[in-house]
Amino acid sequence: AIPHAEKIKYTGTGSEATFVALRLARVYTGKNKILKFEGAFHGTNDYISFSTNPTLNLPFPTPEPDTGGIPKGVEDTVLIAPYNDPDQTCQIIREHRDDLAAVILDPHMRHISPTQEFLNALRECTSECEVLLILDEVVTGFRLAWGGAQEYYGIDPDLTTLGKALGGGVSIGCLVGSDEIMSKLDP
């Protein structure tokens, strides 16, 4: 169902799968920062608990913590971009390419469909800048189509996180990707 899924790493939840994906992206690329989209929810770990329901109207790419207790050092590794805005997103990616490990995208963020222009630009820009594209398919995987949003929209991410649908209601998650990238999970 997922063409790039040469290896799989099972996790207890989708939230854990996204956390492992972010860590793996940092190890694989040797870079520190992660870009996520304003309004997106990818679980509850410190590295993505930013700008889910922003209230301060901060300029992009400044993150707004979703909760207290997140260290400032973590905040310094997160960038925020506007969803479905290919120009501003690619500008942020290019500006931070030297220390940007990955972009994580929920393709149907809050049930808002992405534009094909946005997806194409995002894939092209991340490839050009040697930044991993992580597709968070915890919600869309095996639901939007057999191959998830990536099949439905024709986008080829570097890593994919899956969850809910795998367990039929029981908590489970996983991360899939190419052998080259996933081999960095081997201790």
Side-chain angles (χ1 to χ4, degrees), residues 36-43 48-55 64-66 80-81 83-84 104-114 118 136-140 143-144 149 153 164:
K36 70 168 288 233
F37 293 93
E38 184 177 64
F41 177 78
H42 300 285
I48 49 178
S49 293
F50 291 91
S51 301
T52 304
N53 294 301
T55 59
E64 178 184 332
D66 290 340
I80 304 299
Y83 180 72
N84 259 343
I104 187 165
L105 171 69
D106 175 350
H108 257 227
M109 190 183 75
R110 297 190 177 194
H111 304 290
I112 300 169
S113 298
F118 173 68
D136 178 353
E137 294 233 48
V138 169
V139 173
T140 56
R143 291 180 173 156
L144 195 57
Y153 291 110
K164 299 172 179 28

Side-chain angles (χ1 to χ4, degrees), residues 6-57:
E6 296 173 341
K7 284 192 174 175
I8 187 168
K9 163 76 173 158
Y10 285 101
T11 61
T13 65
S15 183
E16 184 181 341
T18 60
F19 179 68
V20 173
L22 299 176
R23 182 181 290 158
L24 176 58
R26 287 185 175 102
V27 169
Y28 181 77
T29 64
K31 301 175 186 180
N32 294 308
K33 293 183 179 179
I34 300 297
L35 183 144
K36 70 168 288 233
F37 293 93
E38 184 177 64
F41 177 78
H42 300 285
T44 57
N45 74 70
D46 285 357
Y47 292 96
I48 49 178
S49 293
F50 291 91
S51 301
T52 304
N53 294 301
T55 59
L56 300 177
N57 200 27

Side-chain angles (χ1 to χ4, degrees), residues 45-47 49-50 63 65 67-78:
N45 74 70
D46 285 357
Y47 292 96
S49 293
F50 291 91
T67 181
I70 299 175
K72 176 72 171 126
V74 171
E75 184 176 335
D76 294 340
T77 67
V78 178

Side-chain angles (χ1 to χ4, degrees), residues 23 80 82 99 155 158 175:
R23 182 181 290 158
I80 304 299
D99 201 28
I155 187 168
D158 297 297
L175 165 65

Side-chain angles (χ1 to χ4, degrees), residues 1-3 107-108 112-116 119-120 135 137 140-157:
I2 310 291
H108 257 227
I112 300 169
S113 298
T115 66
Q116 197 63 50
L119 293 175
N120 294 345
L135 212 57
E137 294 233 48
T140 56
F142 307 113
R143 291 180 173 156
L144 195 57
W146 168 242
Q150 57 199 276
E151 176 187 310
Y152 187 83
Y153 291 110
I155 187 168
D156 187 26

